[in-house]
Every structure is written in C-alpha cells, then in structure tokens.
Amino acid sequence: MKQLQQSVEDEVDARLAARLAELRGERGWSLGELAERSGVSRSTLSRAERAEISPTAALLNRLCHVYGRTMSRLLSEVEAEAGPVPLVRAGEQGVWEDRASGFVRRSVSPPHPGLRGELVEGRLAAGADLAYDRPPVPGLEQHIWVLEGGLAVTARDVEHRLDAGDCLRLRVWGPTRFRCTGAEEARYVLAVVLP
C-alpha cells in the first residue's frame, strides 16, 4: 500500500514539475528570469521543474504569486481530470502533501473558470509551522474555519488563535503564517475567493 501511495505522489510531482516548466516556457522566461521574479534560486527551480525535489508549499506559493494564480488552480491543472465537474466526490478530490512541513491539502471544491471561490481542507501535523512570504494573488479573500485542533494564523503581524469551531475572515496582502498550536493535528476548511 505504501508503495502505491509513493507511486501516486511521484506521479503528481512529475505532472507538477512539467506544469511548472510549461508555465515558465509560456512566458519565455529563462530560469534566471524566474529566479529574479520569485526570489527562488535557479538550482531549486531547475530541480523542481525536473521533479528532482517535491516543492514545498512556500515554494509553490512564491511561484503562484509570479504566475498570478492560486495554489489550488495550479494543482488542479496537474490533476488527471480533463476538466472541472459540478460534483466532486470525496475519492476524486485532489490531495497534495508538503512532506517537509507536515501540511496536507485536499482540494474539496477545486477552482473552476466560471467561479471565483474554492474550498480546501488543510491538515497541519502537531508542531507544524507553515509560512508564506506573500499571497499568490494580492487581496485574496480567505475564510479559515477550524474543525479540529488549534491553529494560529498570523496576517499583517497579528496572530489570531483559533480553536475548533472558530472562523477567521481576512483579505491577504502580505506574509501569512499557519501554525498548529496543539499536541494533535489541526484540521481546517479554507474558503478562498479571488478578488
């Protein structure tokens, strides 16, 4: 079973790598130009585009910012589905894991060209700390509803501590940080609305 899961993760990483290379190619940028725009080293970008590394959430966030898309949109572009469907069954929802940080992301309601919102289930392992240096899209609206555990969300240098049932609503303009505050994992729903 573990080998099958690893094989699926490797396949997703390979499709993600190809999509990242494709996005850079569509703009006619060299690795150097992308490195300047994103603040990510050329070698890291090259390794990510060749699937030699599994990109972290922070790295993908930087690239999403440069490419002007949400992480959900990028990840939905690498899914096997040919196109968006109105009903997304639980078993068909795309799951992506940032193994380095202990963050698991399920695209419950993936992006759709005709809609501005999407739903994401996030899971942070106990002690996990996830920082983004910028939003993928400035002014992105987020609603963070904690289902289980404790979560600290920092935005505009203000930390908000949330427990199960609490909801934080904000627009993201700068750095954000998500931190699991309890001894158990934090599970939350993130509603994302494009500006």
Side-chain angles (χ1 to χ4, degrees):
M1 187 65 171
K2 271 191 171 182
Q3 286 180 327
L4 178 60
Q5 181 180 353
Q6 185 63 46
S7 174
V8 170
E9 290 171 356
D10 291 345
E11 185 180 324
V12 170
D13 285 345
R15 287 195 312 263
L16 180 57
R19 182 63 182 138
L20 291 173
E22 187 177 82
L23 285 168
R24 183 175 58 82
E26 288 171 1
R27 286 152 180 81
W29 295 342
S30 68
L31 281 171
E33 288 173 297
L34 180 56
E36 284 180 32
R37 292 171 187 269
S38 66
V40 177
S41 74
R42 285 177 42 154
S43 63
T44 298
L45 293 170
S46 175
R47 293 182 70 211
E49 287 185 5
R50 292 180 307 195
E52 291 177 2
I53 61 170
S54 179
T56 64
L59 171 62
L60 285 181
N61 186 68
R62 282 178 169 238
L63 294 175
C64 285
H65 177 79
V66 170
Y67 294 133
R69 60 196 355 96
T70 64
M71 195 180 305
S72 293
R73 180 172 171 205
L74 173 65
L75 293 173
S76 74
E77 292 169 352
V78 301
E79 304 230 337
E81 288 279 336
V85 293
L87 176 60
V88 184
R89 301 271 184 211
E92 298 168 347
Q93 296 167 2
V95 177
W96 178 78
E97 182 177 357
D98 177 350
R99 294 182 284 278
S101 71
F103 172 56
V104 177
R105 178 182 200 293
R106 175 182 300 276
S107 189
V108 177
S109 177
H112 183 285
L115 303 172
R116 293 179 37 212
E118 59 192 80
L119 285 179
V120 172
E121 176 192 24
R123 291 178 180 265
L124 278 178
D129 193 340
L130 188 58
Y132 299 105
D133 65 345
R134 67 193 87 175
V137 178
L140 193 66
E141 182 179 337
Q142 294 186 345
H143 301 256
I144 305 157
W145 178 31
V146 176
L147 301 176
E148 297 173 4
L151 185 67
V153 178
T154 303
R156 294 190 175 188
D157 296 323
V158 175
E159 182 180 81
H160 305 274
R161 289 185 158 266
L162 298 102
D163 293 312
D166 294 344
C167 183
L168 175 66
R169 305 177 302 173
L170 66 151
R171 283 199 180 271
V172 183
W173 296 100
T176 54
R177 179 179 174 200
F178 290 70
R179 187 170 53 85
C180 180
T181 58
E184 303 291 324
E185 84 170 0
R187 188 169 74 93
Y188 58 94
V189 172
L190 175 64
V192 178
V193 183
L194 290 171

